[in-house]
Amino acid sequence: MSETRRKLTTIFCADVQDYTRLMGADEEGTLAALKRCREAMAHLIASHGGRVVNTWGDGLIADFPSVVEAVRAAVDIQNELAGFNAGRPSDGRMLFRIGINLGDVIVDGDDIYGDGVNIAARLQTSAAPGGIVISSTVYDQVRNKVAVGFEFLGPLMVKNVEEGVPSYAVRIGDGSDEVPPAERTAAARPPPASVMAGSGPAPGGRRLFAVLGVIAAVLIVINLLLWQGVFWARFPVLALAVIAALAWNRGQSRFDRKIAALAIVALGIIGINLFTWEGRFWAVWPILGLAAAMGLRWAMRR
């Protein structure tokens, strides 16, 4: 008999909401859609350094050595599946629920067992369709490292675990993954400060945009009032626009932030070329270099 061992790992559990109903309505179509979704999930899990441990029915378990990469994989998966479901009828969409937990597990061959797995499975069943729920052990590791928001849901009761497990819903951007109020407990403690970067500009970000807008307007007005035939304000206004775009990029989660930052810089260079136009598009060379960097970044993420 092979000896079992233990390890600390990040457990990722997922299953399909209303899978039985979908199978009853269209077995072959549902199985084909499930296969396609699983292939996409397996690819994204592997690209984030994870490993698919097991699949059964409509469920999937994976583990990750990195907590941050596990949450990033979950966000990428839900975004990918949202695109897949966009072209399907509302009653035929394949919506996965995902639960993530960091815990100690028993390893037996390729499988993992224990309370760490049970907690991840309980978190998954508590997630809304298309949503993600994480344990507090995961939240503590990722709250300042992933560009999403979090909502405290209170403790979830798990079989064989004496105390409730504090959990958080991951807010990818539009709030669709919010767990229904019925899942929340009356004993929930007030949440820590939320990280809402993925769900629109934070109050600090909005203030920054407002300040930059006011500065740009003041510069334009000064230029017009002191008009001497040269619109010199275009350069500082362009610089302010680039700063605002980079600030927006720091808080968005829809696009790869490094690729988006390179694209913003490229647009700034194009603006400088156009504002200093002398009949030659010299910006093509730095843009070519930035395009190569963006291509390498994109290739490394695949």
Side-chain angles (χ1 to χ4, degrees), residues 136-213:
S136 59
T137 55
V138 173
Y139 172 81
D140 290 340
Q141 299 297 318
V142 305
R143 58 182 177 178
N144 294 321
K145 300 174 184 175
V146 182
V148 294
F150 302 96
E151 179 185 0
F152 183 66
L153 302 178
L156 292 177
M157 301 309 299
V158 181
K159 186 178 180 181
N160 298 327
V161 178
E162 293 184 0
E163 298 180 356
V165 177
S167 59
Y168 296 79
V170 177
R171 304 292 296 273
I172 298 175
D174 59 2
S176 62
D177 53 351
E178 180 180 354
V179 172
E183 291 289 344
R184 306 176 190 174
T185 62
R189 58 182 171 83
S194 296
V195 181
M196 297 302 294
S199 55
R206 289 194 294 268
R207 285 193 293 271
L208 174 62
F209 297 152
V211 170
L212 293 176

Side-chain angles (χ1 to χ4, degrees), residues 18-257:
D18 290 337
Y19 181 71
T20 303
R21 178 185 62 79
L22 293 171
M23 285 291 289
D26 180 8
E27 286 187 348
E28 294 184 358
T30 298
L31 286 174
L34 178 62
K35 181 179 179 181
R36 180 176 173 184
C37 290
R38 273 190 175 160
E39 289 174 350
M41 293 172 71
H43 172 76
L44 289 170
I45 287 170
S47 70
H48 285 275
R51 173 184 71 100
V52 175
V53 175
N54 203 351
T55 60
W56 73 97
D58 62 318
L60 179 148
I61 292 182
D63 69 349
F64 292 78
S66 167
V67 187
V68 172
E69 291 302 322
V71 175
R72 286 176 176 168
V75 172
D76 286 350
I77 284 170
Q78 293 295 29
N79 285 332
E80 179 85 5
L81 296 181
F84 168 75
N85 284 307
R88 297 174 65 85
S90 58
D91 60 348
R93 292 175 180 170
M94 185 158 288
L95 301 173
F96 280 80
R97 302 173 299 183
I98 297 176
I100 304 176
N101 178 47
L102 173 64
D104 193 83
V105 299
I106 299 173
V107 182
D108 185 6
D110 291 331
D111 287 333
I112 55 177
Y113 305 90
D115 288 340
V117 178
N118 296 336
I119 291 172
R122 178 67 180 91
L123 294 169
Q124 165 254 300
T125 60
S126 300
I132 306 165
V133 173
I134 62 176
S135 65
S136 59
T137 55
V138 173
Y139 172 81
D140 290 340
Q141 299 297 318
V142 305
R143 58 182 177 178
N144 294 321
K145 300 174 184 175
V146 182
V148 294
F150 302 96
E151 179 185 0
F152 183 66
L153 302 178
L156 292 177
M157 301 309 299
V158 181
K159 186 178 180 181
N160 298 327
V161 178
E162 293 184 0
E163 298 180 356
V165 177
S167 59
Y168 296 79
V170 177
R171 304 292 296 273
I172 298 175
D174 59 2
S176 62
D177 53 351
E178 180 180 354
V179 172
E183 291 289 344
R184 306 176 190 174
T185 62
R189 58 182 171 83
S194 296
V195 181
M196 297 302 294
S199 55
R206 289 194 294 268
R207 285 193 293 271
L208 174 62
F209 297 152
V211 170
L212 293 176
V214 170
I215 294 174
V218 169
L219 288 172
I220 293 173
V221 171
I222 292 174
N223 194 166
L224 295 176
L225 292 175
L226 303 176
W227 183 256
Q228 295 180 354
V230 178
F231 185 52
W232 52 261
R234 64 188 184 276
F235 293 107
V237 169
L238 176 62
L240 293 171
V242 171
I243 293 171
L246 291 173
W248 164 83
N249 185 49
R250 290 185 60 186
Q252 63 88 18
S253 58
R254 184 178 297 274
F255 308 105
D256 183 290
R257 286 193 293 277

